[in-house]
Amino acid sequence: MENAPQVYAFLRDIGIFTTKSVWPIKGANEPQLGGTTCEDGTYAAWAQDLQSQGFEIGLHNVTYHTSDRPDVIRGLERFKALFGQYPRVHANHFGCEEAMYWGKDRMSGLPQAIYRALNGIKRKKDYGAGGHVIDSPLFWGDHCKEKIDYVRNFTYGDMNTLKACPYMPYFDAKRPYVNNWFASSEGAYVESYVNTISENSQDRLVDEGGACIMYTHFGFSFYKDGRLDSRFKRLMERLSKKNGWFVPVSQLLDYIRTTRGHHEITNSERARLERRWLLQKIRTRGTT
């Protein structure tokens, strides 16, 4: 509540309505990377107000650390009680071992082997291996399949997310508990965000007739010392004056699915996405 409301008020004022992810329940353990949850009444009321204004509320796992199946189910029900429906959009959170097809399980074949080697993974079960594993106490794949429409996967450096991942939203038969996957463009921190949405990138996005889904954490220095980051403010104001369609993630993905139809990714398409993401991760060591 010290920084996020100011960022979303700015976005509202310039007509950019997006998706805000939340943790519906408070965890009992210490997180690797934490923040405020919807068990804080002031925060929950603010998130509900955002929803009433036209922002979408999505899920970022049910809390900021690993949750077993009963807690995931409790968190999903808490989300529905707060926001009137189950989350349509989910993005896995760092350090949550119940994440859906995360860690090495984001990839297949040779890219997975390279990823494991780069990260020094020697154990059979590693970070991210629980949510979709049916005999795991962390399994909640059935609830993901039943309740959630879209899950975020790869993040790329190109502002034109649709160009980097032209198949999205897509179903992957090798990862059946997710109904539809989508990609995003890199912007976790203010530096990477403003680099991705530079003037040249904005103009190219328009010229290409593309679509951008930015991945970010607005709590990380976008609003600091009583003011918005000047670069972020200037670039977003510039973007808002383009003839764009600034809508939440599920609304954009619904439109693509309606106009293009359902897409099941092929082995060659999947391999292309995995290689592109892995090469970028090797270069930057920071994209998630």
Side-chain angles (χ1 to χ4, degrees):
M1 294 305 294
E2 296 175 359
N3 46 30
Q6 292 83 355
V7 177
Y8 283 92
F10 165 68
L11 294 176
R12 177 202 60 210
D13 291 345
I14 62 174
I16 294 181
F17 294 88
T18 184
T19 299
K20 159 83 176 129
S21 64
V22 299
W23 294 309
I25 60 177
K26 184 178 181 180
N29 303 318
E30 288 296 318
Q32 296 184 54
L33 182 63
T36 309
T37 76
C38 288
E39 289 197 21
D40 180 307
T42 302
Y43 183 85
W46 170 65
Q48 289 170 325
D49 184 55
L50 281 182
Q51 184 186 39
S52 72
Q53 293 174 38
F55 291 91
E56 177 179 40
I57 307 300
L59 187 71
H60 198 34
N61 291 100
V62 296
T63 194
Y64 40 59
H65 59 59
T66 299
S67 302
D68 60 15
R69 180 180 174 88
D71 279 343
V72 172
I73 295 172
R74 179 169 65 89
L76 289 170
E77 295 303 322
R78 173 66 174 160
F79 186 103
K80 183 180 181 183
L82 286 167
F83 303 108
Q85 62 181 38
Y86 293 114
R88 297 199 62 207
V89 178
H90 168 61
N92 289 315
H93 176 56
F94 173 78
C96 292
E97 294 184 18
E98 83 282 12
M100 293 300 300
Y101 303 104
W102 211 237
K104 67 175 179 59
D105 293 313
R106 297 172 84 172
M107 288 163 291
S108 315
L110 181 59
Q112 184 185 93
I114 295 172
Y115 179 89
R116 289 173 64 95
L118 288 172
N119 288 277
I121 297 172
K122 297 185 175 68
R123 294 173 295 149
K124 182 177 180 181
K125 289 190 176 181
D126 63 90
Y127 164 59
H132 59 280
V133 178
I134 197 166
D135 60 350
S136 166
L138 307 179
F139 174 71
W140 64 286
D142 53 342
H143 286 270
C144 183
K145 184 74 174 178
E146 178 186 348
K147 298 177 172 69
I148 297 174
D149 293 321
Y150 302 109
V151 178
R152 184 182 72 85
N153 194 1
F154 299 119
T155 300
Y156 300 103
D158 193 336
M159 186 179 181
N160 189 347
T161 320
L162 192 58
K163 182 179 179 180
C165 181
Y167 323 114
M168 73 174 190
Y170 62 87
F171 174 73
D172 185 347
K174 289 189 174 181
R175 295 162 178 84
Y177 290 118
V178 169
N179 290 305
N180 294 281
W181 293 100
F182 69 97
S184 59
S185 295
E186 170 61 30
Y189 306 98
V190 68
E191 293 292 341
S192 58
Y193 192 103
V194 298
N195 287 339
T196 298
I197 67 161
S198 67
E199 290 92 341
N200 289 339
S201 294
Q202 291 184 20
D203 294 341
R204 181 170 55 81
L205 179 67
V206 173
D207 291 341
E208 294 171 347
C212 174
I213 300 174
M214 288 297 296
Y215 149 66
T216 191
H217 303 98
F218 281 139
F220 290 160
S221 299
F222 284 82
Y223 183 87
K224 189 176 180 180
D225 299 326
R227 63 174 63 90
L228 289 167
D229 181 271
S230 59
R231 299 161 300 171
F232 167 72
K233 184 174 185 292
R234 174 177 56 81
L235 287 168
M236 291 301 287
E237 287 176 337
R238 182 181 190 272
L239 181 64
S240 72
K241 294 171 184 174
K242 300 284 187 182
N243 186 26
W245 188 44
F246 305 108
V247 295
V249 171
S250 68
Q251 191 172 349
L252 171 63
L253 297 176
D254 285 347
Y255 174 78
I256 296 173
R257 289 183 67 203
T258 300
T259 55
R260 188 200 61 196
H262 174 78
H263 182 74
E264 182 170 334
I265 200 166
T266 66
N267 290 336
S268 60
E269 290 169 345
R270 183 193 307 106
R272 195 173 300 124
L273 293 180
E274 292 175 352
R275 287 195 302 267
R276 183 180 298 159
W277 178 79
L278 187 59
L279 286 172
Q280 178 173 303
K281 187 168 183 67
I282 291 170
R283 288 196 300 267
T284 65
R285 301 297 297 174
T287 301
T288 58

